[in-house]
Amino acid sequence: MNNENKVENIDLPFVNHQKSTKITNSVSLMKNRKLRKAGLFALFVGPVFLAFSMIVLIPFFTGVYYAFTDWNGITGAVNWVGLDNFKYLFTEDKQFQASFLLTMKYTFVAIVLTNLIGFGLAILVTQMLKTRNILRTVFFLPNLIGGLLLGFIWQFIFIKGFSSIGQLTGISLFNLPWLGDANTGFWGIVIVSVWQGAGYIMLIYLAALQNVPQDIVEAAKIDGANRWQILRHITMPMVAPAVTICLFLTIASSFKVFDVNLALTNGGPFKSTEMLALNIYTEAFVNNRYGLGEAKALIFFLVVAAITVIQVTITKKKEIES
């Protein structure tokens, strides 16, 4: 018995040492794996994050700082003014308020028309037409043209083309001062923006429509459902995720409209068609009131962010319900 106890006492420390060595090795292996994963993550994500920080994050937070200053964008004198810029915008800057209301009106109209026309075009090109591939290309082509170039092209159409058609046909619609009046100028911007964006929205709706199961549609037709009932009760619930995406894209693009506004009317006549993005640009880079322009941009960002979050939340709930 004594000899057996001696053997056990001799072997026990050796076994414990082996166990501790294995545990230490496994811990070191886990640490090495984590370090390797962290290194690979930094290798692949690091350059992208650095570029994102240089292009987006740093300018954003710098702009937030300048929104509380009176910097003119040229000199090195930067004075902290606190909330004075925001007080001025909400109490004295009538042009900012008018541009904000005009942008809200334009955004609502552009969202509705762009989505309705885009969805209608998507339904059209899903029909069994021989020219459907050509139509897809034709409808999408305006989206490939830059906003400034598109604006100058349509400026020529509104001024020269419409007046020539009006003289030949005598139709009063073509004789309107399309870019010389506040109301017609507004609708001119809407026409060009919808014409440019509907083709892109069409592609998103087209992809969603092609994923609608045809066996369900055929079963509904056999049960006596008409086209409107199929569209309302089958197609629309199926394409609800696409509606969420399209609404998000059109809200963002409509609020940020700048190039078409600049090329078509440049905010005229007498700033009656000046959208908010153009108003911010004019304030910062034409009037040289960079701090005030950044204050407008910060308000603009918060409003757009709030509206898009609300829109996505509501439409996502509709997706789940449907």
Side-chain angles (χ1 to χ4, degrees), residues 2 25 40 73 94 109 169 211 243 250 292 302:
N2 291 333
N25 291 335
L40 290 173
K94 302 300 181 183
V109 174
T169 61
N211 289 327
V243 174
T250 49
L292 197 59
L302 294 175

Side-chain angles (χ1 to χ4, degrees), residues 115-129 132 136 139 202 205-206 209 227 231 235-236 239:
N115 280 276
L116 285 178
I117 295 174
F119 187 71
L121 294 177
I123 292 177
L124 176 63
V125 297
T126 53
Q127 304 303 313
M128 299 304 292
L129 301 173
R132 61 181 182 272
R136 292 178 188 179
F139 294 149
M202 175 200 70
Y205 283 127
L206 179 61
L209 288 172
R227 290 186 178 183
L231 178 65
T235 305
M236 290 304 298
V239 301

Side-chain angles (χ1 to χ4, degrees), residues 45-63:
V45 179
V48 177
F49 180 75
L50 180 62
F52 179 76
S53 300
M54 295 293 292
I55 297 171
V56 178
L57 293 181
I58 294 175
F60 174 77
F61 288 111
T62 305

Side-chain angles (χ1 to χ4, degrees), residues 187-201:
W187 285 106
I189 297 171
V190 170
I191 290 170
V192 177
S193 299
V194 172
W195 185 73
Q196 182 186 26
Y200 181 74
I201 298 302

Side-chain angles (χ1 to χ4, degrees), residues 4 27 66 75 82 88 100 129 148 157 161-163 216 230 236 307:
E4 289 178 359
V27 170
Y66 284 130
T75 63
Y88 173 79
F100 187 85
L129 301 173
L148 280 174
I157 293 172
F162 277 23
S163 63
I216 299 177
I230 292 172
M236 290 304 298
I307 291 174

Side-chain angles (χ1 to χ4, degrees), residues 1 57 73 95 107 118 152 182 192 232-233 265 270 282 294 319:
M1 292 294 293
L57 293 181
Q95 183 56 47
T107 300
F152 288 127
V192 177
R232 181 181 175 184
H233 297 290
T265 64
F270 305 107
T282 304
E294 285 292 350
E319 289 178 27

